[in-house]
Amino acid sequence: MDVYLQFLLLGVGAGAVYAGTGLGLVLAYQGSGVINFAHGGMMMYSTYVYDELRDTGDYVFPVIGLPARVNVASDGTSLPVALTLALLTAAALGLVVHVLVFRPLRTAPLLAKVVASVGIMITIQAVVVLRFGSQNESVQAILPNESVDVLGTSIPQDRLWLVLIVAVVALALAGLYRLTRFGLATRAAASHEKGAILLGYSPSLLAAGNWVLASLVAAVFGILTAPISGLTPITYTLLVVPALAVALVGRLQSFLITAAAGLALGMFQSELLKIQRWSWFPDWGQTGVREGLPFLVIIAVLFIGGRALPSRGAIVVERQPFAVMPRHVTPTVVALSSVGLVFLATFESSLRLNLYYTMAAAIIALSIVVLTGYVGQVSLAQAVFAGMSGFVLAKLAANAVPFPIAPLLGAAAATVLGVAVGVPALRIRGAQLAVVTLAAGVAIEAFVFKNPSFVGGTGALRVDEPSLFGLDLAASRGTDFNRWEFGLLLMAMTIVSCLMVVNLRRSSTGRRFLAVRANERAAAAAGVDVARTKLLAFGLSSFLAGLGGAMLAYLRGVVSSDSFGIFVSLTLVAFAYLGGIASVAGAVVAGLIAPGGLVVGLIDKVVEGGKYSTLVGGLTLILTAVLNPDGVVGKISSDLRSKPAVASPDS
């Protein structure tokens, strides 16, 4: 029994960082009504700043173009100096994010806020990789870690200090919100923003204060727990998933419940490590169970419990991105196909690879157009659906299932998964659905894509080359890379996918999709089966993502979690939004500008700027969400619609 208690107590280290990140999420939501998906990334950057100051004495600037670093102390700074500078960085980062991004989006549609938050996450992670690298960093401990005896078991005493700090911070925040003018004004603005203005309070200043506090709280716990968990860009960025779970348990309102839920989640995850060693525990469950636990918590709170997020008092008029009606389809298809054939015939191998990535990314972006652009359902797991198709395809092809049956079955598997993940959309929507799909993507990636029982010990599966009626359609054969035969196959799949979405937009089904997006209650009153329409959208969207995933699997020759992880999903959503999330042309533009796409390949040929593509994409996404929510194609269409007609000479 002592061993089980030891595992339980060891889990308060992870629980403390969940609690700290969750407390920051509650602060940001109370102050501005924003679910900040970038919160883990903001915590990560401050922690990296602290670690670099302690190790080298360098202060690292986040802005590309400024000096990368300034030496503060030649042999590393002292703890007080490093901690002070890191916390000042956290406060400045929180203030900048509010002032430059979320204050302009205060009355913007929900999708714009979600996308801007994802853009901040992508940008911060790209900056960290460029400035610090992606390796695991060992951070110097602040809290004493000598072992102590607790209830007959020995644990490092830093776990006990973390529990105490979590309790003190949660109590302090609860007192701040209930006993001070700042806290009471924030609560008043959250419930009725206009009333707070009439009382003389500025919602913008209140939000700024809460963003600064949120960033400071996250940085404190990030720095304190980094010596226990290690510091990597991926793990810290994804801390937002368990933090969202515990914040939702607290209804994004209660600091005490959020803190208690964070500690409990970390302890239970740690206990699972011991339970997994039991003889009856299945081998396939050894991987991904702990990562899937936050997803189960989120589902229980939002879907099974039927508890919506508390609403804020600001009146927001939802303006959806304009869903462009496709016109001149035949000449457009002929023109683009002709250009594509010319590219296939003239491009060198590396540029053909960029062209192939463009077409595969465009297919997956089409799935986002169907789901988010047409139906308004925000999914952050489209690349995970594509990955399911790729992994199933690899398994089927290895068992002699021929082309095209194998990729179609892979897309069907993605469809089943997509519909299952979409079931919560029957009761929740908007930011809540984004939370669910993000958590589901993380859980599926850990439980399936990284599971040795499914993918083997190497973590990757080989994909057998496609062939049809004796025609070799392999992407590469020997030293012949990125063959034009595969390019023709991929082009045909891209054209078919685009025509599917074009016909969907023109059909009665497309009109039902748009009706649900505009107003679910009005659509139901008009006779639209909203539940069926949503599930159909998830199914069609996941099928398209599955087709794109199958093509990517054939192109790469192997499938792994790196190819279809949750960060790939976030990046694809970002570039789909940039291109124009409600149009087929926008999906094509998204494919062109996506990482690895043709535009990136051409730019890299000229200025060797490929390593900055993710950073540029994240920054551009933020600017698009703030300044032009309709994306590139939406902006062009809007300008054309608003342009006055030119009178003819005979008029």
Side-chain angles (χ1 to χ4, degrees):
M1 183 60 69
D2 289 346
V3 176
Y4 295 102
L5 178 60
Q6 185 178 39
F7 272 85
L8 198 66
L9 294 176
L10 287 173
V12 300
V17 73
Y18 298 162
T21 315
L23 291 172
L25 287 172
V26 174
L27 281 165
Y29 189 81
Q30 287 294 305
S32 59
V34 173
I35 296 180
N36 183 22
F37 293 96
H39 202 69
M42 293 170 66
M43 176 176 65
M44 169 185 65
Y45 187 79
S46 303
T47 308
Y48 267 104
V49 167
Y50 166 82
D51 179 59
E52 194 70 14
L53 283 166
R54 291 286 279 155
D55 285 348
T56 67
D58 289 346
Y59 181 84
V60 180
F61 286 94
V63 181
I64 303 298
L66 293 177
R69 52 185 65 217
V70 172
N71 187 257
V72 178
S74 57
D75 297 325
T77 61
S78 63
L79 171 61
V81 172
L83 188 59
T84 300
L85 289 175
L87 293 181
L88 287 174
T89 300
L93 183 58
L95 185 61
V96 167
V97 165
H98 165 69
V99 172
L100 297 185
V101 181
F102 289 113
R103 186 174 68 176
L105 291 173
R106 188 176 65 87
T107 59
L110 170 68
L111 179 60
K113 295 179 182 179
V114 171
V115 169
S117 178
V118 171
I120 296 169
M121 177 195 295
I122 293 171
T123 300
I124 292 176
Q125 191 188 36
V127 169
V128 166
V129 171
L130 289 171
R131 292 301 204 209
F132 302 100
S134 57
Q135 68 278 5
N136 187 11
E137 292 287 339
S138 178
V139 181
Q140 298 182 39
I142 296 178
L143 301 175
N145 55 10
E146 294 82 5
S147 295
V148 294
D149 289 332
V150 177
L151 301 177
T153 186
S154 178
I155 63 167
Q157 63 174 293
D158 55 2
R159 270 58 168 189
L160 302 180
W161 280 105
L162 285 171
V163 172
L164 178 61
I165 294 170
V166 166
V168 169
V169 172
L171 287 169
L173 291 175
L176 177 71
Y177 261 62
R178 291 186 177 276
L179 303 176
T180 68
R181 184 181 297 271
F182 170 80
L184 293 173
T186 299
R187 294 173 62 193
S191 61
H192 198 285
E193 197 164 282
K194 288 186 176 180
I197 294 173
L198 292 175
L199 291 174
Y201 298 110
S202 169
S204 180
L205 289 177
L206 292 172
N210 279 279
W211 273 97
V212 169
L213 273 177
S215 190
L216 284 171
V217 169
V220 166
F221 285 101
I223 292 169
L224 290 177
T225 58
I228 299 173
S229 61
L231 179 60
T232 65
I234 292 179
T235 55
Y236 257 57
T237 303
L238 288 180
L239 280 174
V240 71
V241 175
L244 280 168
V246 302
L248 288 172
V249 172
R251 297 273 292 144
L252 286 168
Q253 291 178 320
S254 172
F255 297 105
L256 297 178
I257 294 177
T258 297
L263 292 173
L265 178 61
M267 294 167 73
F268 191 69
Q269 281 186 327
S270 179
E271 194 67 28
L272 278 176
L273 290 175
K274 178 60 180 176
I275 296 174
Q276 286 174 326
R277 299 178 184 178
W278 291 352
S279 58
W280 57 266
F281 204 90
D283 292 339
W284 53 263
Q286 298 293 326
T287 302
V289 174
R290 296 173 68 249
E291 291 81 357
L293 188 58
F295 171 64
L296 297 179
V297 173
I298 290 170
I299 288 292
V301 173
L302 290 180
F303 183 65
I304 299 175
R307 300 169 69 182
L309 298 183
S311 59
R312 286 181 54 85
I315 299 175
V316 178
V317 179
E318 289 284 341
R319 188 186 69 81
Q320 303 287 355
F322 180 71
V324 180
M325 176 64 77
R327 301 182 186 278
H328 313 297
V329 175
T330 300
T332 301
V333 169
V334 171
L336 291 179
S337 300
S338 301
V339 171
L341 289 173
V342 171
F343 286 169
L344 281 178
T346 59
F347 276 175
E348 62 183 43
S349 177
S350 61
L351 281 180
R352 280 205 305 272
L353 178 62
N354 295 129
L355 177 62
Y356 296 169
Y357 273 120
T358 285
M359 291 188 283
I363 296 174
I364 302 177
L366 284 169
S367 76
I368 301 170
V369 169
V370 170
L371 187 62
T372 304
Y374 290 173
V375 195
Q377 306 301 301
V378 183
S379 170
L380 302 180
Q382 294 303 106
V384 176
F385 301 152
M388 179 59 72
S389 173
F391 277 100
V392 171
L393 164 65
K395 287 284 190 179
L396 293 173
N399 287 279
V401 177
F403 177 88
I405 297 175
L408 289 175
L409 290 176
T415 303
V416 173
L417 179 63
V419 171
V421 173
V423 168
L426 302 182
R427 297 186 65 178
I428 59 177
R429 60 188 62 83
Q432 301 170 67
L433 185 59
V435 170
V436 169
T437 54
L438 176 65
V442 172
I444 294 167
E445 179 185 351
F447 191 70
V448 180
F449 299 170
K450 296 181 179 180
N451 196 326
S453 299
F454 185 71
V455 301
T458 62
L461 294 176
R462 182 180 177 275
V463 181
D464 291 343
E465 297 85 354
S467 62
L468 184 65
F469 304 127
L471 177 62
D472 186 5
L473 299 174
S476 299
R477 180 70 68 186
T479 58
D480 186 9
F481 299 108
N482 309 315
R483 301 168 67 244
W484 63 267
E485 292 90 345
F486 178 76
L488 290 176
L489 168 65
L490 185 52
M491 184 182 297
M493 295 298 299
T494 306
I495 292 172
V496 169
S497 299
C498 287
L499 291 176
M500 284 174 57
V501 180
V502 165
N503 291 327
L504 175 66
R505 172 65 180 87
R506 291 173 162 179
S507 68
S508 59
T509 300
R511 290 191 290 273
R512 289 195 296 272
F513 281 3
L514 294 174
V516 170
R517 186 188 77 164
N519 191 311
E520 291 185 16
R521 292 183 178 178
V528 175
D529 188 333
V530 174
R532 183 178 179 181
T533 301
K534 285 184 176 182
L535 291 181
L536 176 62
F538 268 95
L540 291 174
S541 171
S542 303
F543 181 80
L544 285 168
L547 287 180
M551 292 301 103
L552 276 176
Y554 280 132
L555 175 60
R556 291 171 173 153
V558 294
V559 288
S560 66
S561 61
D562 294 336
S563 305
F564 299 104
I566 195 65
F567 285 109
V568 180
S569 286
L570 296 174
T571 303
L572 286 170
V573 170
F575 284 94
Y577 191 86
L578 280 176
I581 206 165
S583 69
V584 174
V588 176
V589 172
L592 287 169
I593 62 179
L598 188 55
V599 170
V600 174
L602 291 172
I603 292 175
D604 200 34
K605 288 286 184 182
V606 178
V607 298
E608 297 184 356
K611 67 178 181 178
Y612 296 107
S613 60
T614 303
L615 174 62
V616 172
L619 291 171
T620 309
L621 179 63
I622 297 169
L623 291 174
T624 302
V626 174
L627 303 175
N628 178 33
D630 288 332
V632 174
V633 172
K635 176 63 175 175
I636 295 172
S637 301
S638 176
D639 290 344
L640 291 176
R641 293 196 311 274
S642 61
K643 186 177 181 180
V646 179
S648 65
D650 298 330
S651 61

